[in-house]
Amino acid sequence: MSAEIPASREVPKENRFKVWRQTRPFWAGLLTIIGGVPIAYLPYGDFRLGNATLAMQTTAGAGALIIGVLLITLGLTMWFQPVVRVFAGVATIVLALVSIPVSNFGGLVIGFLFSLIGGGMSAAWAPAPPVEETDDDAQHDGQLEASEEAGAELETEVVVAAGVPEQRETYESATETTADANGGRNSAG
């Protein structure tokens, strides 16, 4: 779990991965990692078809390796730091586009497409709105826990009061400038 969403002991072990997966752009990170692998591997790898060897090695191998490693890193960033999901998504899209001329048409178009879709999903992903507690959720074994409810109400009031700044009722200018004095018109000289 990340620092933003602490692990809950109340969630059963079989559901922890599901909860973790739903609180971040999981599929976007997975597609980005899958897209980074062929982009990084193909300039260095070779395919064997029977006795024939097909070598895809190019002079741009170092650039392709850097792009592939950065895509894999951005995919992991989407998983473990979902706060920077928009930056990671845009950077993934840019790197996927750069991989077309640098890395054998973006990892034979496979890595390019996976990375492009993963970057778009990451930039578009938004966390689910927080679930509001209802009266049914506050009951435990048929009994209403009044002390927890009273504490929650007090905490809510403090947060709301601290988050709303005071509003001024009237606007009084400390100094009279030409913009204020002439009805919003400026005079030059």
Side-chain angles (χ1 to χ4, degrees):
M1 296 306 236
S2 68
E4 294 84 25
I5 303 165
S8 176
R9 304 254 185 250
E10 299 168 357
V11 178
K13 285 187 178 182
E14 59 270 2
N15 290 338
R16 285 186 186 169
F17 178 70
K18 181 180 178 184
V19 170
W20 180 83
R21 189 185 72 213
Q22 291 174 348
T23 57
R24 58 204 69 244
F26 176 78
W27 296 109
L30 184 65
L31 289 176
T32 302
I33 291 170
I34 291 172
V37 170
I39 290 174
Y41 175 74
L42 286 178
Y44 293 103
D46 57 347
F47 297 111
R48 296 180 191 262
L49 301 171
N51 291 334
T53 301
L54 177 64
M56 298 290 295
Q57 297 171 351
T58 63
T59 57
L65 182 64
I66 291 171
I67 290 172
V69 168
L70 284 174
L71 286 171
I72 292 169
T73 304
L74 285 170
L76 292 172
T77 301
M78 292 174 199
W79 282 354
F80 297 110
Q81 293 296 326
V83 175
V84 294
R85 67 189 177 277
V86 176
F87 168 75
V90 171
T92 298
I93 292 170
V94 169
L95 285 172
L97 291 171
V98 169
S99 75
I100 291 174
V102 172
S103 174
N104 296 332
F105 297 111
L108 295 178
V109 184
I110 297 168
F112 164 71
L113 288 176
F114 276 114
S115 298
L116 193 66
I117 293 169
M121 288 174 66
S122 177
W125 184 84
V131 178
E132 294 184 20
E133 188 174 314
T134 62
D135 290 337
D136 295 336
D137 294 339
Q139 292 179 352
H140 182 66
D141 295 333
Q143 298 175 354
L144 183 63
E145 297 177 4
S147 62
E148 288 183 13
E149 188 174 301
E153 288 176 7
L154 179 62
E155 183 178 327
T156 304
E157 290 175 12
V158 171
V159 170
V160 170
V164 178
E166 285 188 33
Q167 299 287 328
R168 292 186 202 171
E169 302 223 358
T170 60
Y171 176 77
E172 296 180 20
S173 177
T175 60
E176 189 173 312
T177 61
T178 56
D180 295 327
N182 295 331
R185 293 179 297 225
N186 280 333
S187 60

